[in-house]
Structure formats: structure tokens, C-alpha cells
Amino acid sequence: MSHTVRDKERLLARVRRLKGQMEAVERGLEAEKPCGEILQLLASVRGALSGLTGEIMHDHLHEHVVHAESDAEREKAADELAQVLKTYIR
């Protein structure tokens, strides 16, 4: 069973919190809150998203690279992670 399936409820709870944070940004913009408040909300969203991304990357590395069942699976998982990292750091 994949780590995202095994940890599905916990990961979904984090996604729901992220959605709530984005809704707070939307409400702040709708209410014409000061830009400093909006920036603080955005910083919180970015931190939460980075945390979730890092957790899933860590689990992917641990489960699909370190503990891969074959060299072919290990190489595939490492390539997947490398592609994601290229996109992530742009």
C-alpha cells in the first residue's frame, strides 16, 4: 500500500486546512484588508504547502527509493522525484 493511501486521512486533513487558508486569503481580498495582512496569510499558505510537499517527498523517497523492491522501481521513483524537484525549484 502506497504511503499516500496509508496516510490518506491525515494528508487530506492538511489539504483541507490549506483550502481554509486560501479561503481566508480570498475573504481578506474581498474585504479589502491591508496588504500586510494578505501577505501574512499568503506566507502561511506557502509554509503549509511547503510542509505538505516536503512530507510527501520524504515519504516517497523513503518508501519508493530507499525501500524499493527492485532496482528498476528505485530508478523510476528517483526519476519521478527528480522531475518534481526540477519543477518545484523553478
Side-chain angles (χ1 to χ4, degrees), residues 7-67:
D7 299 331
K8 178 180 170 181
E9 290 307 315
R10 187 174 49 78
L11 294 171
L12 286 173
R14 290 184 75 161
V15 169
R16 289 181 188 110
R17 283 192 297 276
L18 271 163
K19 282 173 47 178
Q21 288 176 307
M22 284 303 300
E23 289 167 355
V25 172
E26 182 180 18
R27 286 190 306 272
L29 291 169
E30 293 275 343
E32 300 179 358
K33 296 283 186 181
C35 60
E37 287 182 34
I38 302 299
L39 288 168
Q40 186 60 49
L41 291 169
L42 290 168
S44 296
V45 169
R46 182 181 172 144
L49 182 57
S50 291
L52 176 60
T53 302
E55 179 178 347
I56 293 177
M57 282 183 181
H58 174 272
D59 292 347
H60 177 85
L61 181 63
H62 183 73
E63 185 165 321
H64 301 290
V65 177
V66 174
H67 297 291

